[in-house]
Each structure stands twice: as C-alpha cells, then as structure tokens.
Amino acid sequence: MKLKSTVNITLKNAFIKANIDHEPMSVSEATKPEFGDYQFNGAMALSKKLGKNPREIATLIIDNLALDGVVIKAEIAGPGFINLWLNPLWIAEQCSDATHDDRLNIEVNPNPTKVVVDYSGPNMAKQMHVGHLRSTIIGDTLANLLTFLGDEVIRQNHIGDWGTQFGMLIAYLEMKDEDGSVSLKDLEQFYKDAKGEFDANEDFANKAREYVVKIQSGDEHCLKLWQKFINISLGHCEEVYEKLNVKLTRDDVRAESFYNEDLPQVVESLKSDGTLQESDGAKCVFIEGNDVPVIVQKGDGGYLYATTDLAALRFRAQELGAKRISYVVDARQAGHFKQVFTVAKNAGFVDEDVKLEHIAFGTMMDKGGKPFKTRDGGTVKLIDLLDEAVVKARETINNKEEYTQEEIDELAKIIGIGAVKYADLAINRESNYIFNWDKMLSFEGNTSLYMQYAYARIQSIFRKHNGPITGDIVIGDALEHRLAVMLLRFEDILQRAAIDASPNQITTYLYELVTLFMRFYEQNPMLKDGVDEVTKMSRLQLADLTAKTIKQGLDILGIKIVDKL
Ligand code: ARG
C-alpha cells in the first residue's frame, strides 16, 4: 500500500471540499514523533498564491479534513504547519492485510515498463576483481527491485569478449593446452605468462597478431579456440555469481562480440545522416559543447568501445523494446555514457521517450583511503575477497556449540557474503567507501548481520510461542503505532529506491525498522506472563510483519536470511 499517496488523497479531498483551487503539495514524513505521522508544510507556499495568511489556510484545510478514515487527528503548528496523525484502527487493518498477503500488499505495477539493466560486464581476458563487485550487486538489486514491483526486466551482461588481446590469449592457449586440460584457474597469471611470451618470442608475437586477424575474419579454428577461452573465463564469473547469490545466467550474456556485425551499419547510418567527420583518418562524431569527439572507427578500420555501445543501445531500444535502459557502471565512465546517449538519441537509434541512465557508483577504498589493492599492489580478485569473507564470518560463529559443522559452513556463507554485499549496498552508491571487515561483520549497527539476527530472533519467538496466531492487530501504545506506520511505509521506500536506483534507501529503511522493532520488543513483551491474550496476539502479528518485511527487503538485496542465529 502506498501510504503517502493515501494520505495525500485525504488531503486532496479536503482541498476540494474547501474550494481551494490548487493541487495540494505532498505531505512528508513527520520529523519527530510529537509532530504526528505526517506533516503538511504547503500552507506557506499557498499563502502567496491565494493571498491569505498560512494559518488561515491551514485552518481551512483542517476544517474540511475527513477525520474518520485514514487520518484521525490534525493540528496546526507554528506559522501554519499541519501535523497529521493516522488512525490506529486503519493502520492496524492495513498491517493485518499485509501479513496475510505474499507481497505484503505491495502493488504490482499496472503499467509495467520494459527495462534493460546492464550490469557486471566483466572483461573475459582477466579475472573479476573487486571493481566488478559494485556493478554486479547494485545492478542485481535494481533488477530484483524492478521485477518485484512488476516491471519487465531484461538483464544484460555486456561482457568484454572482443579485442586484440584475444589473439595473444588464444595463441597461448593453443600452445599450452595440447591435452585440453588447461583450467585457466588463474586468468591473471595466464595473461601475464602470455604477455611474457609475446614480448620475448617474435614467432609467438607474429602468430598472436595473425590470430587477431583470423578471429575477426571468422577463421573456424581460431574462433573455436576463442570460444573455448571465453567459456572457461565465463565459468569463473559464474562461480562468483553463484557465491554472490546474484541472478545472472548465461542467457543474460549479450557480449560485445554479439554486436560485431552491426558495427559497420552503425557507422554507415551515422555517415548517411551527415553526423560523421573524419579526423586523422578516424571517423568521429562531434557533439555540441564537447571538444573531444566520439570516435566510432579508427583509421585502421577497427571499432571501439563506444561503437559497440551504440549498437547495443539500438538493439535494446529497437529489438528488445526497452523504455528504460540503465547502465550500472563505474562513475569514471560517466563521460563515455553521456556521449553515447547523446549520439544514440541524435541518430534516432533510440526514441526520445526512452529513458537512458548511467547508474554511476564510486570506488571501494582500503582503510588508508586508497583504492583497494593486494599487498604487492595488484588488483584483488573478487573470488578471494568473497572466500575471505566466509572465513571471517566463520570466526564469529565458530564458538557456537549448537551447530553442526555443516550448519556452520552454510551459515558462514550466508553471513559472510551478506556482510560484504550489505556494506556495499548501504553506501550512497555515488560515494567512494572504505572497506572495513570489522564494521561489516558486526552484530550492531547498519549491517546485514543485525538484520539477519533480528529476523532469527523473531523466528525464535515463534518457535517459543509454538501455536496459532489469531485475532486482530490492536495498536496499543505510541511505540506500537510508530512500528506499524514504519511497516506500512515499505512500499513508498521501494518505489523511491526504484526511481533513484538507490539500494541504500532500502538499507536505511531496514535499519530504522529493525532499530524500532528492537525497542518495541524490549518494552512490549509478547510471551511473558501477565500479557493478555489479545495484546500478545497483536504483538506477535506485528513481529511477524516485521520479519516478513526484513526478509523481503533482504531478498531484493540478494541477501539470505536464517531462522536461527
Ligand atoms: N566491460 C566494461 C568494463 O569492465 C563494462 C561494460 C559496461 N557496459 C556497457 N554497456 N558498456 O569497464
């Protein structure tokens, strides 16, 4: 249920009844509990337009406000603010409905948008490194979120599988892999060795160059080697996706090479509408207000990253029919996307009404505030980082005797991976952030463990209760009221997070929710002697809805929960 819109409707009805000839501004969440649940601060702005003083307008609105359904009390504060209190009977009923609904009463978008989410996109010549973490999990969260809200989501993994370096790599693969057993377990090393050979051995270097030309002209033998290399490399990525609980599959791969045949046509079409200019033999598009042009074809005939992205944009808009295309890519590529979007729109590859967005994110830093590196200055392989997370998570639970070894293994994965993901998603994505093991693996604070712990704690309440839950939710005190309203705000939060593509709005909400629940739980016992049956049942239901909300929230973030912790 969209809580804020519902409150806004009540307000709008008051405007109509009072003959106020203006659309009401939206209410906002109250900044303090004393101010009620929502505030309307629009009377000041209206006062200028309507030529009345703000308190007069506020009074007029309140006098015409229906106080029996959604809103039960309204008060004027200060120069003309209106504080609004929601009706406890109504919120109780809404919470009750939500507990009984699989989707927690969250609407499925009646007008779904077709959205392409482009994320992860690792380069096949190298191992996935920590830089790919953010794209992969922010993108996956966005795709999960939009899917949950009812959009038609097409995940696209734009892997880098084309380029001159593959000539060298496949020549080396052929040389080393006579018996077909090379696993390329360490792609980094393989790349280094191939490069070493390339620099030291003239014959090999010539062969590598020859192989570049051969793959490009469709030579069967070379393409086979290339395909083999890509398959193994992609297999490594899939291992990471699996560990990360990310939904990308092979079906979502639409690699750079997929667009090869479209590239001449992209250039041709830019040429025919007169946007193409030659500069030093290269074919370029100049964009107004930009000194640096977009190069779409080099003097030697080779195409570039931008050319492929233009072809991909055209494909996504025209073949896939996307109306929103979201690129979850490092902030350092902002210039690239700005240019490519402009060229694609100007060239008519993409219609005006298609929303193109670069979902930019900052860099992961080490404790010293420098980009994250290994001790000897190399890039940190993502798989190593994830394995380390599991080892560290195991340390936090190892002393718990109630678990079997198998349970500890499983738990360590859920906690460790959850911690890495949550710590990343909880940051405003455009900021750089400091990677900190101790902080992310803490039971306290805005961490996944805190959420997982709260969820498990609620499950333990239910195990203790061990019986049916009946009756209605009855809002007893102010804290219960706040918890219920917080629970009902979930859909508004998800909607906002989807528009802004900001996972951290979800984590911030979960943190507020769980903090509030923990207070509620301390002050309002459920299973203690002396709690009457009606109160007990009501509180159990609020706890149930809290658990379901945590679970749904974490599920969108791709983080698992456990029943016991
Ligand atoms: N392969 C690129 C990189 O590692 C990311 C691809 C992003 N997607 C795109 N359509 N350009 O930087």
Side-chain angles (χ1 to χ4, degrees), residues 46 62 83 302 320 421:
L46 280 174
I62 286 186
N83 297 335
L320 300 179
K421 293 181 82 171

Side-chain angles (χ1 to χ4, degrees), residues 79 82 137 248 273 316 331 418 441 458 472 474 478 516 529 551:
I82 301 179
I137 65 179
L248 281 174
D273 67 15
R316 290 163 183 187
L441 280 163
I458 297 173
D472 295 325
V474 187
L516 195 57
D529 289 342
K551 183 171 180 214

Side-chain angles (χ1 to χ4, degrees), residues 118 120-123 132 158-160 256 305 309 316 327 329 333 336-337:
D118 176 315
S120 197
N123 295 326
H132 292 111
H158 191 84
I159 63 169
E256 287 185 9
Y305 185 49
D309 260 327
R316 290 163 183 187
Y327 290 82
V329 185
Q333 293 193 28
H336 164 77
F337 285 109

Side-chain angles (χ1 to χ4, degrees), residues 103-312:
R103 298 183 49 83
L104 309 176
N105 250 351
I106 293 171
E107 186 185 318
V108 180
N109 189 353
N111 306 302
T113 308
K114 215 179 220 191
V115 191
V116 162
V117 184
D118 176 315
Y119 68 106
S120 197
N123 295 326
M124 293 295 107
K126 297 256 174 85
Q127 207 112 349
M128 282 180 84
H129 55 82
V130 293
H132 292 111
L133 176 70
R134 307 210 69 191
S135 171
T136 306
I137 65 179
I138 296 170
D140 202 54
T141 297
L142 180 63
N144 291 341
L145 174 60
L146 296 178
T147 305
F148 178 69
L149 294 176
D151 281 340
E152 193 183 325
V153 176
I154 307 174
R155 297 168 197 248
Q156 293 282 274
N157 193 357
H158 191 84
I159 63 169
D161 67 341
W162 206 247
T164 48
Q165 72 272 41
F166 289 100
M168 177 182 91
L169 290 166
I170 63 169
Y172 196 66
L173 180 68
E174 186 179 46
M175 190 165 117
K176 287 284 148 187
D177 192 32
E178 278 168 356
D179 58 352
S181 66
V182 164
S183 76
L184 299 179
K185 198 68 210 153
D186 193 337
L187 263 179
E188 247 28 58
Q189 196 53 47
F190 187 84
Y191 191 95
K192 272 192 204 141
D193 295 345
K195 183 81 174 65
E197 191 71 25
F198 186 89
D199 293 337
N201 179 344
E202 190 57 29
D203 286 344
F204 176 77
N206 284 333
K207 184 158 200 179
R209 287 189 201 102
E210 187 189 313
Y211 274 20
V212 175
V213 180
K214 279 189 163 181
I215 335 177
Q216 283 172 350
S217 59
D219 174 84
E220 213 170 298
H221 172 68
C222 283
L223 276 181
K224 244 194 197 144
L225 278 171
W226 168 78
Q227 194 58 61
K228 182 171 172 189
F229 184 90
I230 300 300
N231 278 340
I232 300 175
S233 185
L234 203 50
H236 295 326
C237 298
E238 282 164 347
E239 214 181 304
V240 171
Y241 297 152
E242 166 89 32
K243 275 191 208 259
L244 271 178
N245 188 28
V246 152
K247 292 194 182 65
L248 281 174
T249 68
R250 227 164 251 227
D251 290 343
D252 305 316
V253 171
R254 191 101 55 181
E256 287 185 9
S257 62
F258 173 82
Y259 302 102
N260 281 348
E261 282 167 23
D262 300 346
L263 303 180
Q265 233 208 321
V266 165
V267 174
E268 196 43 51
S269 131
L270 291 170
K271 195 169 162 187
S272 64
D273 67 15
T275 32
L276 219 53
Q277 287 183 31
E278 294 237 355
S279 166
D280 290 335
K283 298 195 169 66
C284 312
V285 181
F286 281 89
I287 302 171
E288 243 185 54
N290 252 307
D291 300 337
V292 191
V294 187
I295 304 175
V296 291
Q297 192 171 19
K298 290 186 289 188
D300 66 5
Y303 299 100
L304 293 104
Y305 185 49
T307 329
T308 308
D309 260 327
L310 285 170

Side-chain angles (χ1 to χ4, degrees), residues 337-389:
F337 285 109
K338 213 171 155 212
Q339 288 190 321
V340 164
F341 292 169
T342 309
V343 174
K345 286 228 161 156
N346 288 348
F349 293 169
V350 173
D351 286 344
E352 254 334 294
D353 66 336
V354 177
K355 183 174 176 194
L356 303 178
E357 53 182 359
H358 175 206
I359 313 291
F361 54 80
T363 309
M364 189 202 276
M365 305 290 200
D366 65 15
K367 271 195 184 149
K370 301 221 174 66
F372 210 76
K373 289 266 156 62
T374 56
R375 266 200 206 112
D376 54 12
T379 47
V380 178
K381 288 179 202 148
L382 188 46
I383 199 123
D384 293 345
L385 183 94
L386 299 179
D387 289 343
E388 192 174 345

Side-chain angles (χ1 to χ4, degrees), residues 340-512:
V340 164
F341 292 169
T342 309
V343 174
K345 286 228 161 156
N346 288 348
F349 293 169
V350 173
D351 286 344
E352 254 334 294
D353 66 336
V354 177
K355 183 174 176 194
L356 303 178
E357 53 182 359
H358 175 206
I359 313 291
F361 54 80
T363 309
M364 189 202 276
M365 305 290 200
D366 65 15
K367 271 195 184 149
K370 301 221 174 66
F372 210 76
K373 289 266 156 62
T374 56
R375 266 200 206 112
D376 54 12
T379 47
V380 178
K381 288 179 202 148
L382 188 46
I383 199 123
D384 293 345
L385 183 94
L386 299 179
D387 289 343
E388 192 174 345
V390 177
V391 170
K392 289 204 190 288
R394 190 189 304 265
E395 285 162 15
T396 66
I397 46 172
N398 240 348
N399 51 4
K400 298 205 174 187
E401 280 157 18
E402 64 267 38
Y403 297 115
T404 63
Q405 201 49 49
E406 238 168 56
E407 282 173 326
I408 290 195
D409 286 347
E410 188 53 28
L411 210 54
K413 277 189 218 156
I414 294 178
I415 293 177
I417 302 296
V420 170
K421 293 181 82 171
Y422 192 97
D424 188 301
L425 295 168
I427 306 292
N428 177 349
R429 65 175 159 75
E430 284 177 273
S431 317
N432 296 342
Y433 78 101
I434 308 245
F435 190 88
N436 180 335
W437 285 118
D438 296 334
K439 219 167 114 190
M440 74 177 70
L441 280 163
S442 166
F443 276 95
E444 303 282 320
N446 189 10
T447 64
S448 59
L449 205 45
Y450 185 55
M451 310 304 148
Q452 288 165 330
Y453 174 67
Y455 180 86
R457 191 151 170 192
I458 297 173
Q459 301 316 305
S460 92
I461 299 172
F462 286 113
R463 280 193 293 275
K464 244 186 246 154
H465 166 65
N466 191 25
I469 298 170
T470 51
D472 295 325
I473 293 178
V474 187
I475 305 294
D477 61 11
L479 203 52
E480 234 162 58
H481 183 101
R482 278 181 64 198
L483 177 63
V485 173
M486 181 67 93
L487 286 164
L488 294 178
R489 283 180 49 208
F490 189 42
E491 180 164 0
D492 285 342
I493 301 292
L494 294 182
Q495 294 291 351
R496 195 67 243 167
I499 293 168
D500 299 341
S502 296
N504 74 315
Q505 294 181 15
I506 303 177
T507 57
T508 302
Y509 168 80
L510 287 177
Y511 184 49
E512 278 177 41

